[in-house]
Amino acid sequence: MEFIRDCDLAYLQNKYHNASKPYDNFKRFILNDDFYDPATGLSGEEMCALVREEDKKHAHLPHCIRKAHAFRLVLENTRLRCDGQDYFPAIHQQDRKPVAQLYQGWKKEIFATKAASVADDMNLLDRTAASTAWVDFDHNVPIWDRVFALGFPGLLANAMRARDDLAAKAPLSEKQEAFFEAIRITYEAILTLLDRMIAVASSTENPSEKTPMLISALQSLKAGAPRTLYETLLLIYIYFMCSEHIEGLQVRSLCHMDRLLAPYYLRDRENGIPAEELKHQLAYFLMQFACIDNYWGQPMYLGGTNPDGSTAVNEFSLIILDIYDRMGILNPKIQIKYSPSMPMEFVEKALDMIRRGHSSIVFVNDDMMVKILRGKGVSEEEAHRCQVTGCYEFKVRGAAGTGMNYMNLLKPLEYVMHNGRDGMTGQLVGLETGTEFPTFASLLDAYKKQLAALIDRIVHIVNTYEAYISEMNPQNMLAATFPRCLELGRDPYDGAGTMNNTGISFGYLANIADSLAMIQKYVYDRKELTLAALTEILDKNWEGAEILRRRVLSDPDHYGNNRDLPDSLAVEISRFFTDYLNGRPNTRGGVWTSGTHVARQSYDQGRRTLASPDGRLSGTELSKNSSASMGMNREGATAAVLSVTKLDSVALSGDNTLDLGLLPSAVQGEDGMAAMRGILETFANLGGLGIHFNVFNGEILRDAQAHPEKYADLQIRVCGWNVLFNQMKKEEQDGFIRQAEALV
């Protein structure tokens, strides 16, 4: 691999995943005690036992302090390795287990006591795939500007000054005292970790030219803020490892890489460091996350605009893309804040990478994000500095948002057709609205009543448990980077973020729009069958009605093709749920928002969803994000763009993303580049929020399915992340084959 020596690559891969054990990228790490010298610390199991035993001594203390002590124990005792084969230390972490055993226990206690009233209903909705909700600690980001400006010792000192300033105004409450004490313990533990890594690196039996660089950089970070590109990359890496893999909060962006890191790169160049050496350091940094290979991908973002409207793209932006391209990796995934002011060279470089197989790039519309945030009262400066997190979500710096509440838009239709009962289990889950609907308008009205009732239940469930979310898993590392948390002396999840919103992801808009369109067309307009007859057909999974099913599947009125009937229904349903939900207060000082991201729920909820009137069979996958159902976009990319941009991205501010498939033949050469650029520009001009591409054809995918050994590097953009085609389940591969074979 370019930039990485072969022996170093083998070292990195074994650093994160034990090569002797089966690979599973759904797990953060596969435990590998043998990689580390036992003299450097405790094994994973020993660490878990130590934390459990020591926590008994702190059982009387607030959760934030107990967690800080557990965090400290791990950093003081975990095994380390700082060999000359890598610029970045190896930190053994047991996939969060030592600290997670505490906060997972607290979560269970709260659901058994304070939130017990909603636990049964939450489980019912999950079992029947009406809604899948869980406590979300997955989508927040430190204010990286402050982390870089202050460094670890500066963050600690700043927090202690904030404590003193707050105490000077009024005596601190017990809760505030605990908040600051937890930060002190946490950041002192990080400084101790730096000392331990310096000692291990200094005594390594396998030094190289990297070793003195690592020791010097660690000493610099122990003393203050980073000064060089390498020190800043090392700071990001250590923060990431401590937060994501020990403390238990996903770091859902490695930062605005080009804007924030360019000054360090330029300063290093001015100080005489060769460009190739800096690229080498960046490549090893990126390779850490390629080797960790989290299934969902590790985000980082580029581009965007400044408050004066000028582009934030710079020399370092192209360097990052070029290194990523030459390495041929798919992780970290890249989000590009797109704006018309962006240099064409940069846009075309990204598009060219996509058409050559780098589908781990997504474009998010910077102008639309700024518009949405300005409409919520955010300043011009902060709107332009908004962070892209997770798959393509965005938020202002210092926000503490939550989501992970996936609603299945097909389930209310099952309730309508079965008098409130789930179509798969027969359980009464919805409202008993009867089964007689003389007009399509009356059926649609019943659907909206079922949908509203389901929204009310989800809001009640989540509001109930989110009132205690800061008790479940206090965030000591993150809090120190948020000024408002320090000003208030409160945890980010205790209403101390700059925004504290909660979102619902409304899944399968294409399926419900297509299903309602087919009901209107075949039951009410043409009167070819009754609603009762259609219900019986769906209950039998279309058995005995294959001719009708083929007619439905081939019907042109499917969402994603710029057709009035399904598109108008998609707009009506989305307008209904956004009007009904958006702006409601949550229990953390924020409001509720809407989006359409589905993650893997299109598969997981699809398995528990009855056959639908759009021709879909029981248990099969559902549509993704704001896109057409797999294989139903038959009128080309422009039609798909026109359908999706009829939706209101301002109302769907949680996320509103188009997954677009393109044929390789359509994107070749200069004409192909112009076509890709035109799609992107049109999508942005029409108010689209996020768009990503898969460039493939059915022939290639079928051959890859039959001969996986020939396609080891074939990437597929699944929803908001990339996977290798060979690592996908056959049912998932089949869905992308259907999508590819429908492309025109």
Side-chain angles (χ1 to χ4, degrees):
M1 174 179 287
E2 195 162 358
F3 298 108
I4 310 290
R5 295 188 306 174
D6 289 344
C7 60
D8 292 352
L9 178 59
Y11 173 91
L12 286 168
Q13 291 169 334
N14 203 43
K15 175 181 178 181
Y16 296 111
H17 297 283
N18 191 331
S20 67
K21 295 183 178 180
Y23 175 73
D24 182 356
N25 64 349
F26 280 102
K27 294 183 178 179
R28 289 179 177 82
F29 289 8
I30 293 176
L31 308 182
N32 194 0
D33 279 338
D34 295 338
F35 183 78
Y36 299 86
D37 180 354
T40 63
L42 303 177
S43 71
E45 290 307 314
E46 290 171 335
M47 184 68 66
C48 287
L50 175 64
V51 168
R52 286 195 301 272
E53 190 62 30
E54 287 294 308
D55 184 61
K56 294 176 183 177
K57 302 175 184 177
H58 306 302
H60 63 289
L61 296 174
H63 288 177
C64 60
I65 296 182
R66 291 170 65 182
K67 185 183 178 189
H69 279 301
F71 180 83
R72 173 185 57 79
L73 282 173
V74 175
L75 296 197
E76 288 176 351
N77 294 282
T78 195
R79 291 178 180 175
L80 304 171
R81 186 168 171 177
C82 302
D83 284 358
Q85 291 180 268
D86 194 2
Y87 288 100
F88 299 91
I91 306 170
H92 193 23
Q93 45 63 60
Q94 279 278 299
D95 194 17
R96 298 184 177 180
K97 286 184 180 179
V99 179
Q101 62 185 337
L102 300 187
Y103 62 73
Q104 293 291 1
W106 299 333
K107 185 174 77 171
K108 289 180 182 178
E109 289 174 9
I110 287 170
F111 271 102
T113 55
K114 298 174 181 178
S117 62
V118 299
D120 288 344
D121 201 34
M122 180 178 173
N123 291 333
L124 171 65
L125 296 182
D126 183 34
R127 285 197 311 274
T128 58
S131 166
T132 301
W134 64 85
V135 183
D136 181 15
F137 296 104
D138 296 337
H139 288 93
N140 288 302
V141 181
I143 301 181
W144 283 114
D145 314 54
R146 291 175 55 79
V147 177
F148 299 160
L150 296 171
F152 293 127
L155 288 168
L156 173 60
N158 185 65
M160 296 304 97
R161 282 194 299 271
R163 178 192 61 189
D164 294 343
D165 290 345
L166 194 59
K169 298 174 184 176
L172 298 182
S173 67
E174 290 184 8
K175 190 174 183 180
Q176 289 172 322
E177 290 278 11
F179 169 82
F180 286 109
E181 178 65 4
I183 290 177
R184 183 191 65 77
I185 295 168
T186 296
Y187 276 85
E188 286 184 353
I190 294 173
L191 297 179
T192 297
L193 175 67
L194 296 178
D195 280 334
R196 293 188 64 219
M197 290 191 291
I198 291 168
V200 172
S202 299
S203 61
T204 180
E205 296 179 357
N206 183 29
S208 74
E209 74 284 354
K210 302 183 187 74
T211 305
M213 288 181 59
L214 173 59
I215 294 170
S216 175
L218 289 169
Q219 290 170 335
S220 180
L221 295 182
K222 176 72 187 301
R227 303 164 302 174
T228 66
L229 177 64
Y230 172 52
E231 289 177 6
T232 309
L233 295 173
L234 183 60
L235 174 65
I236 296 171
Y237 173 78
I238 293 171
Y239 186 101
F240 170 88
M241 291 297 296
C242 289
S243 176
E244 178 137 355
H245 294 289
I246 297 175
E247 194 184 36
L249 177 75
Q250 286 197 41
V251 181
R252 292 313 283 161
S253 178
L254 296 177
C255 83
H256 196 165
M257 293 286 286
D258 48 354
R259 181 178 72 84
L260 293 180
L261 297 187
Y264 298 96
Y265 172 81
L266 294 174
R267 188 183 308 144
D268 284 352
R269 294 289 291 118
E270 291 171 358
N271 290 334
I273 301 178
E276 287 306 307
E277 183 176 334
L278 297 173
K279 292 177 182 179
H280 196 64
Q281 296 166 7
L282 179 59
Y284 272 76
F285 173 79
L286 296 175
M287 201 65 210
Q288 308 300 317
F289 305 96
C291 289
I292 290 172
D293 195 24
N294 185 332
Y295 173 82
W296 312 100
Q298 175 56 44
M300 65 182 193
Y301 63 101
L302 308 173
T305 54
N306 299 310
D308 63 2
S310 62
T311 183
V313 172
N314 55 53
E315 174 187 352
F316 198 55
S317 308
L318 278 166
I319 289 173
I320 293 170
L321 281 188
D322 185 60
I323 292 173
Y324 192 95
D325 189 12
R326 290 160 65 184
M327 291 177 72
I329 56 179
L330 57 81
N331 214 337
K333 58 188 181 184
I334 300 175
Q335 303 137 333
I336 293 178
K337 297 175 76 173
Y338 173 79
S339 177
S341 65
M342 188 170 279
M344 192 58 62
E345 179 187 10
F346 180 77
V347 175
E348 292 193 346
K349 170 66 175 176
L351 290 173
D352 182 56
M353 289 172 64
I354 291 169
R355 69 179 177 177
R356 289 187 285 106
H358 278 292
S359 49
S360 53
I361 297 173
V362 61
F363 292 92
V364 287
N365 186 348
D366 192 61
D367 293 348
M368 182 56 66
M369 292 189 293
V370 170
K371 176 183 176 181
I372 289 169
L373 291 172
R374 292 290 286 141
K376 295 181 178 181
V378 175
S379 71
E380 189 80 26
E381 169 75 17
E382 285 302 311
H384 281 272
R385 294 291 181 250
C386 73
Q387 299 173 314
V388 187
T389 69
C391 293
Y392 19 64
E393 305 91 308
F394 64 98
K395 59 186 61 168
V396 294
R397 295 181 296 183
T402 60
M404 301 293 96
N405 309 302
Y406 297 101
M407 180 181 288
N408 184 342
L409 287 170
L410 275 179
K411 283 296 175 174
L413 184 59
E414 285 186 23
Y415 306 156
V416 169
M417 299 177 77
H418 296 85
N419 195 22
R421 297 189 176 275
D422 178 79
M424 293 284 273
T425 67
Q427 287 180 275
L428 183 63
V429 182
L431 305 175
E432 294 181 288
T433 48
T435 56
E436 298 295 326
F437 306 101
T439 64
F440 179 73
S442 64
L443 178 138
L444 188 58
D445 182 63
Y447 174 84
K448 291 176 180 178
K449 289 178 180 176
Q450 297 281 4
L451 177 56
L454 190 52
I455 292 171
D456 289 342
R457 287 168 75 176
I458 294 172
V459 168
H460 174 65
I461 289 168
V462 177
N463 276 350
T464 299
Y465 71 68
E466 279 204 347
Y468 309 104
I469 189 172
S470 64
E471 295 180 41
M472 296 182 194
N473 189 7
Q475 295 304 318
N476 303 321
M477 280 189 70
L478 185 69
T481 78
F482 283 9
R484 191 165 185 269
C485 291
L486 300 178
E487 291 166 7
L488 299 174
R490 291 214 311 260
D491 188 83
Y493 289 101
D494 191 21
T498 52
M499 284 187 172
N500 305 285
N501 297 340
T502 304
I504 292 180
S505 291
F506 291 89
Y508 331 123
L509 191 59
N511 291 116
I512 189 58
D514 291 350
S515 292
L516 290 171
M518 295 303 104
I519 290 174
Q520 179 174 344
K521 198 167 187 176
Y522 288 87
V523 174
Y524 289 97
D525 293 348
R526 297 181 180 176
K527 302 186 187 303
E528 293 190 19
L529 73 169
T530 65
L531 185 64
L534 177 59
T535 302
E536 185 175 354
I537 288 171
L538 300 181
D539 288 343
K540 294 180 179 179
N541 199 22
W542 290 94
E543 185 179 342
E546 188 56 36
I547 293 175
L548 175 62
R549 180 170 179 260
R550 284 201 298 268
R551 286 179 61 202
V552 165
L553 289 172
S554 62
D555 194 295
D557 278 326
H558 283 271
Y559 169 83
N561 297 287
N562 194 30
R563 303 282 294 190
D564 288 342
L565 177 58
D567 291 4
S568 64
L569 287 165
V571 169
E572 183 171 356
I573 296 302
S574 65
R575 184 179 296 129
F576 175 80
F577 65 67
T578 56
D579 286 350
Y580 194 75
L581 175 71
N582 290 356
R584 285 200 203 186
N586 63 13
T587 47
R588 297 183 297 109
V591 297
W592 282 85
T593 62
S594 302
T596 60
H597 179 51
V598 300
R600 285 193 56 82
Q601 296 305 315
S602 55
Y603 305 117
D604 297 340
Q605 290 185 339
R607 295 187 187 97
R608 292 166 286 157
T609 300
L610 186 70
S612 43
D614 59 352
R616 184 190 137 272
L617 295 173
S618 290
T620 58
E621 73 175 303
L622 297 162
S623 61
K624 294 182 175 66
N625 301 335
S626 295
S627 312
S629 296
M630 285 296 207
M632 288 300 159
N633 170 219
R634 298 167 176 148
E635 298 297 329
T638 300
V641 167
L642 292 174
S643 282
V644 170
T645 53
K646 292 173 186 176
L647 304 173
D648 184 359
S649 290
V650 174
L652 293 168
S653 61
D655 48 63
N656 182 30
T657 302
L658 170 62
D659 309 58
L660 191 62
L662 298 172
L663 289 170
S665 59
V667 299
Q668 291 178 355
E670 293 183 8
D671 289 345
M673 176 57 66
M676 293 184 77
R677 196 172 63 241
I679 291 168
L680 177 60
E681 290 171 354
T682 300
F683 182 81
N685 290 338
L686 291 175
L689 195 49
I691 183 170
H692 51 206
F693 303 90
N694 271 312
V695 178
F696 49 30
N697 63 38
E699 182 180 354
I700 290 174
L701 295 188
R702 285 198 179 278
D703 193 48
Q705 194 176 56
H707 305 286
E709 70 282 357
K710 294 165 52 180
Y711 298 90
D713 297 325
L714 178 59
Q715 299 180 27
I716 295 291
R717 185 79 176 178
V718 175
C719 190
W721 61 92
N722 264 35
V723 298
L724 295 174
F725 188 75
N726 289 348
Q727 293 177 354
M728 300 174 70
K729 296 178 181 178
K730 184 178 183 300
E731 64 174 315
E732 298 173 24
Q733 292 178 339
D734 289 343
F736 285 100
I737 290 171
R738 286 196 303 275
Q739 182 186 17
E741 291 180 338
L743 297 177
V744 296

